[in-house]
Amino acid sequence: MCKVSLWDSDEPIPRSELLQRVSGAHGLLCLLSERIDAEVLDAAGPNLKVISTLSVGFDHLAIDEIKKRGIRVGYTPDVLTDATAELTVALLLATARRIPEGVEEVKNGGWRSWKSLWLCGYGLSGSTVGVIGLGRIGMAIARRLKPFGVEKLLYSGRTAKPQAAEVEGEFVPLDRLLSESDFIIVSCSLTPETQGLCNKAFFSKMKKTAIFINTSRGAVVNQEDLYEALSSGQIAAAGLDVTTPEPLPTDHPLLTLKNCVILPHIGSATYSTRGIMSELAANNLLAGLSGTGMPKELIL
Ligand code: NDP
Ligand code: DGY
């Protein structure tokens, strides 16, 4: 038996409400929209022994503070991999083949005749794809892209991955990935090392015809530099499922660009995936509360 204090709303819990309600709690189930830092942990007090996040990403958790206090963490890897990889492929195709622009032209009367070069984009067949962060989701993206006729799959990261053999992936330095890829997909976790990784220098090494896709975290990208790269023709187009901040203000310069497709962080948003994530997050929480093995515990 446990007493539950539920924030029964689709809107994020206001910070002041969280700080107040968490006081004395033994467990906390949170979303990626809540920053769980020393202030929240102090407000919770010494009872808190488990945090369960409804996400695989854990950059919103102050891991050092959590570890120091001996608090266990549950998260939701694997169960959202397929949904996120699928969305990444959809975003890549939408961006490369200019689907949102095409839909808009049909609605606004811009479609007047069939023209040979109108709304042309870039195809995957015979292309080189570069994946930054060939983890669970990166691999699932690569597996889905190969059957489109991708000729070469490059990846970069901290370490070479034996599982890359399945997609004939070649582990290369980032600079080579940037200069050779027609499509660049960011699927790494957000860490101090990857924060701001995609900046002016990064975009300047890409081909002018290359497409940039990010479904990891917004902070991996320097958005001012991305705007510059897109508006100056340094790169062809970008598709983002994640931004800084979230939501992206509706007057943000990136939203004025036709060659930038932005989605509202919906990588894992299928009914079944969100259901499975919720069940897993609840089971992680319960296991943490009872001091037993969690289905998916983050090893701190
Ligand atoms: P994994 O831990 O399996 O993969 C993360 C990958 O990032 C690892 O392969 C890791 O490589 C790599 N990485 C770490 N540091 C670097 C670096 N400096 N350069 C390049 N690669 C690096 O996690 P998942 O695949 O399950 O998830 C990845 C991320 O996707 C999550 O952290 C989350 O931020 C995001 N995500 C977004 C969703 C959305 O809705 N858009 C949905 C789900 C996840 P190594 O193993 O060598 O350290
Ligand atoms: C995650 O799990 O990290 C995603 O961003 C949302 O599913």
Side-chain angles (χ1 to χ4, degrees):
M1 271 271 283
C2 48
K3 197 173 139 220
V4 176
S5 169
L6 175 71
W7 177 251
D8 194 10
S9 166
D10 241 8
E11 297 305 318
I13 184 167
R15 183 83 177 170
S16 56
E17 192 81 22
L18 172 64
L19 292 173
Q20 188 195 318
R21 289 206 196 192
V22 77
S23 171
H26 294 87
L28 175 64
L29 197 153
C30 67
L31 312 183
L32 53 83
S33 44
E34 279 102 48
R35 199 166 29 85
I36 308 300
D37 54 13
E39 188 184 26
V40 174
L41 301 174
D42 288 343
N47 283 350
L48 191 64
K49 52 182 182 179
V50 54
I51 296 169
S52 170
T53 181
L54 188 77
S55 62
V56 63
F58 50 87
D59 46 282
H60 56 301
L61 308 179
I63 293 298
D64 288 351
E65 291 291 334
I66 291 170
K67 197 171 167 182
K68 212 161 67 188
R69 291 162 164 86
I71 298 167
R72 294 170 70 193
V73 174
Y75 70 145
T76 63
D78 302 314
V79 298
L80 45 57
T81 296
D82 287 346
T84 309
E86 201 171 275
L87 188 281
T88 307
V89 173
L91 178 58
L92 184 151
L93 291 171
T95 307
R97 297 299 305 272
R98 304 172 63 179
I99 290 174
E101 259 186 276
V103 169
E104 194 47 43
E105 293 290 353
V106 173
K107 286 186 184 166
N108 67 20
W111 180 24
R112 285 187 285 272
S113 62
W114 192 93
K115 298 178 207 131
S116 60
L117 287 177
W118 188 50
L119 283 177
C120 283
Y122 298 91
L124 276 162
S125 184
S127 71
T128 296
V129 169
V131 179
I132 300 178
L134 198 75
R136 289 171 292 245
I137 296 171
M139 256 312 279
I141 296 167
R143 270 193 213 105
R144 280 161 176 77
L145 289 182
K146 282 294 276 189
F148 279 93
V150 168
E151 191 167 299
K152 210 194 270 182
L153 197 127
L154 308 176
Y155 72 100
S156 70
R158 290 183 298 187
T159 52
K161 309 283 176 210
Q163 64 270 29
E166 186 195 327
V167 289
E168 297 171 281
E170 188 183 345
F171 185 55
V172 295
L174 181 60
D175 277 4
R176 187 174 150 208
L177 182 148
L178 295 177
S179 62
E180 291 186 15
S181 299
D182 301 301
F183 298 88
I184 292 176
I185 302 161
V186 183
S187 56
C188 60
S189 33
L190 173 61
T191 66
E193 208 186 317
T194 60
Q195 177 139 14
L197 174 76
C198 310
N199 58 14
K200 193 176 164 63
F202 177 106
F203 296 121
S204 71
K205 290 170 192 153
M206 285 174 60
K207 295 183 184 179
K208 284 195 168 14
T209 50
I211 310 278
F212 173 80
I213 303 293
N214 181 21
T215 51
S216 69
R217 284 291 182 266
V220 170
V221 176
N222 179 316
Q223 289 177 176
E224 285 72 40
D225 293 349
L226 175 61
Y227 176 84
E228 194 49 42
L230 287 168
S231 54
S232 66
Q234 175 66 55
I235 67 171
L240 314 173
D241 182 44
V242 285
T243 58
T244 313
E246 291 183 1
L248 193 67
T250 52
D251 62 354
H252 194 282
L254 281 175
L255 293 171
T256 64
L257 300 175
K258 282 192 172 170
N259 57 348
C260 189
V261 177
I262 304 187
L263 300 177
H265 202 150
I266 52 170
S268 64
T270 71
Y271 290 111
S272 90
T273 301
R274 287 289 165 83
I276 295 166
M277 285 169 69
S278 303
E279 199 176 325
L280 176 54
N283 285 328
N284 281 338
L285 181 73
L286 290 173
L289 288 171
S290 60
T292 54
M294 277 187 205
K296 295 286 180 186
E297 180 161 4
L298 182 66
I299 305 307
L300 302 179

